Amino acid sequence: MEEMPINGSGSSHFLSHDLDFFIYEKVENCKRQNAYMSGGVINSMMESVDDITENAKDFNKPLLVFIAGKDKIIRNNCTKAFLKKIGTPKSEVKMRLYPNSYHNIHKEPEYKFRQFAEIYEFIYERLAMTSCVNFDK
């Protein structure tokens, strides 16, 4: 099967190990999702990254971060460096590494259900801490 390039970052095979997902994106979704981004979109994204980085210390909300161990799209060391800059107390930052995952962890057959469970657990814990509703009944 022909590979679809992603802005010079490599093949769309690096998004997920799930062959069905790759085939769907290649065949069914090809008209709605371009493999390449316009210069304007990229410029806007870069401006947003600069703004987020400059104001990281002002971010103080609980944060759940998933890191794909075999990510070819995002540099994990940059994500970890950013987490050190944010204003959220370290006790409120949960980072989970999925060592065998590519970029789209939620599409990985090995991890997708575990990831959804972790999202649910993270939200449940925060609601239980801030709510007077008893979730155990």
Side-chain angles (χ1 to χ4, degrees):
M1 180 173 290
E2 180 184 340
E3 294 183 358
M4 180 172 52
I6 304 173
N7 292 331
S9 298
S11 164
S12 59
H13 287 286
F14 291 128
L15 292 176
S16 173
H17 286 92
D18 187 351
L19 183 59
D20 291 335
F21 170 71
F22 173 74
I23 291 170
Y24 172 79
E25 290 299 313
K26 182 74 174 169
V27 176
E28 300 294 329
N29 201 21
C30 64
K31 293 179 183 160
R32 290 185 289 132
Q33 180 176 335
N34 294 325
Y36 295 93
M37 290 186 217
S38 71
V41 170
I42 292 172
N43 187 49
S44 178
M45 289 172 60
M46 296 307 292
E47 288 175 0
S48 296
V49 167
D50 290 342
D51 182 59
I52 290 167
T53 303
E54 288 173 18
N55 297 299
K57 66 184 178 319
D58 296 332
F59 184 82
N60 60 6
K61 305 294 184 213
L63 190 61
L64 175 62
V65 179
F66 296 111
I67 294 183
K70 294 184 177 180
D71 202 327
K72 305 286 188 207
I73 312 299
I74 302 296
R75 290 182 293 218
N76 291 332
N77 60 333
C78 293
T79 301
K80 292 173 185 176
F82 174 75
L83 292 176
K84 291 178 181 176
K85 296 178 182 179
I86 62 174
T88 302
K90 300 308 172 209
S91 62
E92 286 296 309
V93 176
K94 182 177 180 181
M95 184 182 72
R96 171 69 72 198
L97 172 66
Y98 290 93
N100 196 38
S101 180
Y102 289 150
H103 186 73
N104 285 350
I105 301 168
H106 65 286
K107 297 288 187 183
E108 291 285 2
E110 182 179 351
Y111 298 121
K112 62 183 171 185
F113 296 112
R114 186 182 321 163
Q115 184 187 34
F116 288 133
E118 289 189 69
I119 293 168
Y120 173 81
E121 180 181 289
F122 185 81
I123 293 170
Y124 178 85
E125 288 171 357
R126 266 91 210 140
L127 288 173
M129 290 187 317
T130 60
S131 176
C132 34
V133 176
N134 185 351
F135 289 102
D136 296 326
K137 288 187 177 183

